[in-house]
Structures are given as structure tokens and as C-alpha cells.
């Protein structure tokens, strides 16, 4: 049986670890040729690319030049069928003490980079008359989170950006969707106080935190032709945390 993404070219940002790594693995194992983007973690990205037959590409997505370099790398492979905007950072702080730098760093990396990559990719995808863009948001963007005003704002804005893009690009057979993870086992959540994670488990309907692979499988579905009539949606994958 042919893998569902055979012949597709995919770009995953922030793919050297965590959710991004799981997404790149899932897409690669499903047949896609994956551009594994990283900023600093060269060894991890190159090992992953070797494992799935992909290509590791260094670029800082918080810069225009970095975003353009990634799309140029995809063009060098002949196409870009799937774009997954996963790269993101946090700079948690209560608003009264949040600096301009902490605000701007998160918005530049999370939101502005997503906009720049979508802008660059959309031109290529419109010429192809096909494509799937999946942007990673967060349950923080749906409901807010104390100490994460910058992060929550960036993720909520990505959702609105994605819905607008879905309306603009749909006539060219380009789909744009979001995936909003809840608490997932990553390096980012490992540093949290165990009492926070215990609290999440108490509230979530499934009584546990999620795994990166559970996010990756939803991304793979949205990237595939199985989701050919799905666009402009935000898929919440949080184990029932937000219900």
C-alpha cells in the first residue's frame, strides 16, 4: 500500500526536537520528502533528516532572510506541498513586568515568522495550484494563560491569520488549518513544577498530558488528501483540557 504522502515535499520549522521532530518523523514515515528546519541544533536535525531521508536546513525563522531561504530550499527540490509552521518560543512574564524585548521576541518568532513563511509559500503554492499549510497554535491562544500574554496573543493571532489565508487561497486549491496542542510531553513542559502537570491531569478529561506523536498524527491527516475538504479550522488536541 502506497504511503499517503508519497511524492510530497514538506517543510517543518523548528523540527529538531519536541513536537516539530515528531511531525517531521510522521510526515517522513508517511512518504514525504521533509525539509527539517533548525536554528541551532544541527546534530539533532541532521540525524533526524538522515533517519527519514530528508534534508536538514538551517535558518532563523525570526528573520525575513531565514524564511526566504527555507522557501528557496523547497523550490530547489521542485515544489512545496506541505508547510508546517511549528517553530515557537516562550518568554513568560506577568504583563506589568514584561519588557518590550520579551514581547517582541515571542511575536517575531511565533507570529511574524508564520506570516512571512505563509506569504512566501503561498506564491509557490498558487503557481502549483495545490498545497496544505498547517500552523501550530495552542490552547493558550484559545483561553489565555496568566504569565503568557505574549505567547497567547501570538497563538490567537496565528489562528486568525490562518482563517484569513484559508479564505484567500481556497480558490487555488490551497488549504490552511491550525492544530492547537494542550500540555504535551516536551522539553518545554519538563521544566514545569510537577504540581502544574498534576493539576493538568486532574482537569483534562483523559487525565494525562499528551505525547508529541499524538499531535503529529493530526498534522499528518491535515496534510494528506484525506483532509481534502478541510480548511480554515483549528483542531484542538488537548485530551479534553479545555472542555
Amino acid at each position: 500500500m502506497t504511503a499517503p504522502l508519497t511524492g510530497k515535499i514538506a517543510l517543518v520549522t523548528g523540527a529538531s526536537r519536541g513536537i516539530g521532530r515528531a511531525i517531521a518523523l510522521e510526515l517522513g514515515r508517511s512518504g514525504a520528502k521533509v525539509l527539517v528546519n533548525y536554528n541551532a541544533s544541527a546534530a539533532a536535525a541532521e540525524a533526524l533528516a538522515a533517519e527519514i531521508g530528508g534534508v536538514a536546513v538551517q535558518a532563523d525563522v525570526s528573520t525575513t532572510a531565514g524564511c526566504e531561504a527555507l522557501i528557496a530550499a523547497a523550490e530547489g527540490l521542485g515544489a512545496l506541498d506541505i508547510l508546517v509552521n511549528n517553530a515557537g518560543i516562550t518568554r513568560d512574564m506577568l504583563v506589568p513586568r514584561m519588557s518590550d524585548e520579551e514581547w517582541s521576541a515571542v511575536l517575531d518568532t511565533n507570529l511574524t515568522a508564520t506570516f512571512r513563511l505563509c506569504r512566501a509559500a503561498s506564491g509557490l503554492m498558487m503557481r502549483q495550484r495545490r498545497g496544505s499549510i498547517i500552523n501550530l497554535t495552542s490552547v493558550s491562544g484559545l483561553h489565555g494563560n496568566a504569565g503568557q500574554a505574549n505567547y497567547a496573543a501570538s497563538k490567537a493571532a496565528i489562528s486568525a491569520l490562518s482563517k484569513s489565508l484559508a479564505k484567500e487561497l481556497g480558490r487555488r486549491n490551497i488549504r490552511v488549518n491550525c492544530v492547537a496542542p494542550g500540555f504535551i510531553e516536551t522539553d518545554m513542559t519538563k521544566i514545569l513544577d510537577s504540581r502544574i502537570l498534576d493539576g493538568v491531569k486532574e482537569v483534562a478529561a483523559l487525565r494525562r498530558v499528551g505525547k508529541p506523536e499524538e499531535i503529529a498524527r493530526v498534522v499528518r491527516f491535515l496534510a494528506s488528501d484525506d483532509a481534502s475538504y478541510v480548511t480554515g479550522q483549528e483542531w484542538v488536541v488537548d485530551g479534553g483540557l479545555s472542555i
Side-chain angles (χ1 to χ4, degrees):
M1 185 175 181
T2 303
L5 300 180
T6 297
K8 304 287 188 182
I9 305 297
L11 165 60
V12 183
T13 67
S16 63
R17 61 180 184 172
I19 292 173
R21 183 180 190 280
I23 290 170
L25 270 172
E26 182 71 25
L27 299 184
R29 289 170 177 170
S30 297
K33 181 80 168 182
V34 183
L35 290 161
V36 179
N37 164 244
Y38 69 96
N39 186 19
S41 304
E46 288 167 1
L48 173 59
E51 180 177 349
I52 60 175
V55 180
V57 183
Q58 193 282 331
D60 180 357
V61 298
S62 69
T63 68
T64 300
C67 293
E68 291 176 348
L70 285 177
I71 302 303
E75 286 187 286
L77 295 178
L80 179 60
D81 302 289
I82 302 159
L83 168 63
V84 182
N85 282 303
N86 164 78
I89 63 170
T90 57
R91 295 289 186 272
D92 294 353
M93 184 61 64
L94 295 173
V95 167
R97 298 203 297 270
M98 185 178 291
S99 67
D100 286 353
E101 290 74 17
E102 288 166 333
W103 173 268
S104 297
V106 171
L107 271 290
D108 286 348
T109 300
N110 297 3
L111 174 61
T112 305
T114 296
F115 159 72
R116 287 171 176 156
L117 281 164
C118 286
R119 178 177 61 186
S122 63
L124 176 56
M125 289 180 172
M126 283 192 291
R127 292 194 296 274
Q128 298 170 169
R129 301 192 73 85
R130 70 180 189 276
S132 177
I133 298 172
I134 300 106
N135 296 322
L136 273 289
T137 57
S138 169
V139 291
S140 294
L142 296 172
H143 306 290
N145 198 26
Q148 285 195 318
N150 47 4
Y151 184 78
S154 72
K155 295 301 186 177
I158 289 171
S159 177
L161 167 66
S162 301
K163 292 171 184 177
S164 298
L165 272 173
K167 291 184 176 182
E168 291 184 12
L169 302 177
R171 68 187 65 188
R172 296 296 186 93
N173 194 35
I174 301 165
R175 298 180 294 105
V176 187
N177 291 288
C178 298
V179 175
F183 274 79
I184 308 298
E185 294 176 354
T186 65
D187 292 343
M188 191 179 292
T189 56
K190 283 179 182 176
I191 64 174
L192 295 175
D193 190 299
S194 61
R195 291 172 295 181
I196 295 176
L197 294 180
D198 288 342
V200 170
K201 294 173 186 177
E202 283 295 315
V203 174
L206 295 182
R207 296 297 189 268
R208 65 178 177 86
V209 297
K211 299 176 181 179
E213 295 78 12
E214 293 175 303
I215 304 301
R217 288 193 287 268
V218 176
V219 172
R220 185 250 298 145
F221 166 73
L222 291 172
S224 75
D225 291 341
D226 288 339
S228 58
Y229 202 54
V230 180
T231 195
Q233 304 303 308
E234 187 166 17
W235 289 56
V236 179
V237 188
D238 68 352
L241 179 65
S242 58
I243 58 175

